[in-house]
Amino acid sequence: MTTLPDRPNTALLVIDVQKGVVAGAPRRDEVIANIRTLIDAARAQDAPVVWVQHSDDDLERGSENWEFVDELVRLDAEPLVHKNYQDSFEATGLESVLAERAVGRVVVTGAQTDACIRSTLHGAFVRGYDVTLVGDAHTTEDLSAYGAPAPEQVMAHTNLYWSWQSAPGRDAGTVDTAKVTFEAADAG
């Protein structure tokens, strides 16, 4: 259904599941276990697994906090996209990585729900991708001291509003890990 021509494939995006990003995050272990399940499923179905890794002044490239969590292991053949902005497409090679693999649908997982996840969801959608948020495979830090809602509310709200996204020629929605598929779209 994507508006991108000749892009029948689905890719899993693993966004910012880095030690310093998810340390202390709500449901951390459950979210990481769900992402691992999705990685295994994508690999078993020969769907691309694309890793996205953030760096900035607070998350210095090469530091221990910048590294992916130990529970998730990236294979050398799996693309790694480095980013400095919340939207994983912004000033990165993500679009090229997906185009090379004929990807028209992305399945989004990772952290932070209210920053990089939301930005990437919208970034993909406005660029013509079908976008699936995995509702039990993203998390965020507690920013309630700054006036934000509690993390569980942020995650629940994101799951809710993404399940109602729509635009001409594109599909969006929120599903749980158990309902994710990586089947290629019907080319006909």
Side-chain angles (χ1 to χ4, degrees):
M1 185 169 200
T2 176
T3 62
L4 302 171
D6 302 317
R7 298 248 196 125
N9 297 327
T10 297
L12 175 66
L13 299 184
V14 180
I15 301 171
D16 303 348
V17 189
Q18 297 161 253
K19 293 176 183 178
V21 176
V22 298
R27 300 185 305 117
R28 177 204 180 276
D29 294 344
E30 174 193 340
V31 166
I32 290 171
N34 288 339
I35 294 171
R36 185 176 181 152
T37 296
L38 292 162
I39 290 169
D40 291 344
R43 288 173 179 163
Q45 296 176 47
D46 292 323
V49 177
V50 180
W51 299 74
V52 179
Q53 192 170 27
H54 189 84
S55 59
D56 59 27
D57 291 342
D58 296 322
L59 196 61
E60 189 175 329
R61 194 174 191 162
S63 69
E64 185 175 350
N65 280 339
W66 174 81
E67 296 173 0
F68 289 110
V69 297
D70 294 334
E71 298 94 325
L72 302 179
V73 178
R74 181 182 149 265
L75 301 179
D76 288 340
E78 294 171 340
L80 173 59
V81 175
H82 293 283
K83 71 178 181 67
N84 300 106
Y85 300 99
Q86 292 180 5
D87 181 350
S88 298
F89 289 89
E90 195 64 43
T92 71
L94 181 56
E95 169 55 28
S96 295
V97 166
L98 298 175
E100 290 168 6
R101 290 155 180 81
V103 171
R105 175 177 169 248
V106 293
V107 175
V108 177
T109 68
Q112 304 275 12
T113 300
D114 44 355
C116 298
I117 297 299
R118 284 186 182 178
S119 294
T120 300
L121 290 169
H122 291 282
F125 204 56
V126 300
R127 286 172 174 87
Y129 291 88
D130 292 336
V131 185
T132 301
L133 172 63
V134 186
D136 57 358
H138 64 92
T139 189
T140 195
E141 67 184 319
D142 187 348
L143 297 175
S144 58
Y146 302 97
E152 292 292 344
Q153 291 174 316
V154 170
M155 292 180 284
H157 179 255
T158 302
N159 289 343
L160 176 67
Y161 92 75
W162 198 253
S163 68
W164 296 102
Q165 291 298 309
S166 64
R170 283 162 281 165
D171 188 32
T174 303
V175 299
D176 286 336
T177 297
K179 295 191 178 189
V180 173
T181 64
F182 294 100
E183 297 168 354
D186 183 4

